[in-house]
Amino acid sequence: MQQPEKDKAKLTELFLSGQISRDEFEAFLEKFSDDSPEINDTLENHFGEILEDYHRDDSKSRKISLYPSWLAVAASVILVLGFGFWMVRDQISSPYITFQTSYGEQSSYTLEDSSTITLNAGSELSYVPFGKQDERKVSFKGEAYFQIAKDSIKPFLIQSNALNIRVVGTAFNVEAYPDEDFFRVAVSEGTVKVWFGEDEGAFHEYLTKGQSILFDKANGTYHLEEAKPVLWKEQVLVFDNTPFDQVIRKLERWYGLDLEVVDPELKALKLNGQFVNKDIHEMIRAIAYLVNKDTVNNKHLIKINPMPMK
C-alpha cells in the first residue's frame, strides 16, 4: 500500500531540518518547480546556507554538518544552474551512463532493459537510465550492432547527430562515425524506422529484414539497398568498392594505429575484399597484392605509426 503523498509543508520541514531523503527531495523539487520566483529565491538562499554549513571550518574544530553530503552536492548544482528544478533532478538522480571502445577494441554491453549493444572500435553510446521515461533513448556515434529487447510501450530511440532510429524490438547495424561522410543502417531482424534531421514527419523510411539505407551527408541524399551480412563482429574486415581514404580510416580504427599513405597512387583507388584475422603487416601485403604493387617493400606504400596520444 502506497503512503499518502507528502504535502509541501511537510517536505519543506524535512528539507529545512536536513532530514529529507533522496526520494523526498525529488518530490520536493517537483512540487516547487512551478512556484513563484520569490519562493524560489528563498529556497536558493537556503541552499547557500547548506553549503556554508557543510564547508565551514575554523582553527579549532571541524563543524559536523546536519546535512548529508549528497544534499550539499545537490545544493551546489542548484546554485550553479539556478532553480531549473527539472535539470537539477536529472543531474542528481539520472546521471549519464556511457560505454565506449578505443581504437583497436570491440566490446559488448547489456543495458538495463536486456538489450545488447556490441560496439565496434572507436565508438560510444551514452544514455540516462530509462526509468520512467516514455522512450529508451540513447546517443551514439561510431559503429554498433543493436539487439533491442522488445517493448511496444517504450520504444528504443537512437540519436546520432542528424540520424534518428526508432524501434520496438529488433536487430540491426548502425555506422555513424563523425569523420565519415555517410550514415548506414542495415536491418537483420524486425522493422526499423529511420529519419534524418529534427522533423520526423518531413521524411522517414521503414526498413525491414534484409534492407539497408545509405545516407550521404554531403548532399543530403539517400538510397535503399540490400543489407549485407554484419561480419565485423566475426573479426572480418569487408571492403566493397571502398574509397582508399575510407579504407585507411577503417584500418586505423581496427588496429589502433596511425597509417600514412606514402604511395600517392593508392589514394585514387577503391578496394574490394574480405580479410579474416590478419595483422596489419599481412593486411598491407594483401592490399598491395590486390592493387598490383610490390608486396615486399610495404613501407613504400603505407607507413605504420603508433596512434598519437589524445
Side-chain angles (χ1 to χ4, degrees):
M1 180 176 179
Q2 290 186 334
Q3 294 182 345
E5 183 178 347
K6 293 183 174 67
D7 58 21
K8 285 186 177 182
K10 180 62 176 176
L11 289 171
T12 302
E13 178 183 344
L14 290 169
F15 168 66
L16 294 176
S17 67
Q19 303 302 308
I20 196 166
S21 69
R22 287 176 182 261
D23 289 342
E24 290 165 340
F25 183 67
E26 287 191 33
F28 175 81
L29 293 182
E30 289 185 28
K31 285 184 175 295
F32 282 95
S33 62
D34 294 324
D35 272 329
S36 68
E38 291 78 16
I39 293 176
N40 288 344
D41 287 343
T42 300
L43 294 175
E44 185 170 329
N45 289 335
H46 189 68
F47 276 114
E49 293 173 6
I50 291 174
L51 284 181
E52 182 180 356
D53 178 74
Y54 187 75
H55 293 294
R56 184 182 293 120
D57 193 11
D58 57 38
S59 59
K60 295 182 179 179
S61 64
R62 175 91 178 168
K63 183 180 184 295
I64 299 175
S65 175
L66 294 174
Y67 304 100
S69 59
W70 66 263
L71 186 55
V73 172
S76 65
V77 173
I78 288 175
L79 290 175
V80 170
L81 297 179
F83 250 82
F85 281 108
W86 292 104
M87 292 177 64
V88 173
R89 185 188 66 176
D90 288 344
Q91 291 287 335
I92 295 167
S93 61
S94 299
Y96 274 89
I97 295 173
T98 299
F99 301 122
Q100 61 185 28
T101 50
S102 302
Y103 279 15
E105 178 185 17
Q106 296 175 0
S107 191
S108 293
Y109 304 93
T110 300
L111 307 187
E112 62 196 72
D113 65 342
S114 298
S115 296
T116 301
I117 316 296
T118 303
L119 297 181
N120 202 351
S123 301
E124 179 178 301
L125 181 140
S126 62
Y127 68 100
V128 173
F130 302 140
K132 298 180 180 179
Q133 299 179 68
D134 294 333
E135 292 184 307
R136 297 170 286 170
K137 185 186 298 185
V138 302
S139 297
F140 171 72
K141 60 182 178 181
E143 181 171 19
Y145 188 72
F146 292 81
Q147 295 171 283
I148 304 303
K150 188 172 183 179
D151 186 340
S152 58
I153 297 176
K154 186 180 290 189
F156 197 99
L157 176 63
I158 301 168
Q159 296 179 316
S160 182
N161 199 355
L163 173 66
N164 299 276
I165 303 167
R166 180 178 285 118
V167 302
V168 172
T170 183
F172 54 97
N173 193 75
V174 179
E175 289 181 77
Y177 284 105
D179 58 350
E180 298 294 356
D181 59 6
F182 67 92
F183 297 121
R184 179 183 281 115
V185 181
V187 181
S188 302
E189 299 175 13
T191 301
V192 172
K193 182 180 183 180
V194 179
W195 72 96
F196 303 98
E198 297 182 359
D199 189 355
E200 181 178 353
F203 151 79
H204 62 262
E205 287 282 355
Y206 285 97
L207 307 178
T208 57
K209 180 179 179 179
Q211 287 188 311
S212 175
I213 189 169
L214 181 67
F215 180 80
D216 188 318
K217 296 180 186 178
N219 57 33
T221 61
Y222 73 93
H223 66 270
L224 301 180
E225 56 189 14
E226 181 181 353
K228 296 178 173 61
V230 182
L231 297 179
W232 63 264
K233 297 193 293 97
E234 313 302 326
Q235 302 303 304
V236 180
L237 264 173
V238 178
F239 299 107
D240 183 11
N241 204 34
T242 306
F244 208 79
D245 59 343
Q246 187 179 325
V247 170
I248 292 299
R249 288 192 295 273
K250 195 167 188 176
L251 292 176
E252 287 181 329
R253 289 191 291 263
W254 190 268
Y255 292 103
L257 295 168
D258 178 61
L259 302 178
E260 179 185 348
V261 179
V262 179
D263 187 336
E265 292 183 3
L266 294 178
K267 297 179 180 180
L269 300 178
K270 294 185 177 182
L271 190 66
N272 291 282
Q274 296 185 7
F275 305 89
V276 183
N277 287 330
K278 292 185 180 295
D279 69 24
I280 186 60
H281 299 285
E282 292 176 322
M283 175 63 71
I284 293 176
R285 283 195 292 271
I287 291 174
Y289 176 80
L290 287 174
V291 299
N292 296 316
K293 293 286 185 177
D294 183 358
T295 60
V296 177
N297 296 317
N298 293 328
K299 63 181 180 180
H300 298 307
L301 296 177
I302 300 173
K303 185 178 179 181
I304 303 172
N305 303 307
M307 183 61 68
M309 296 294 292
K310 294 184 178 180

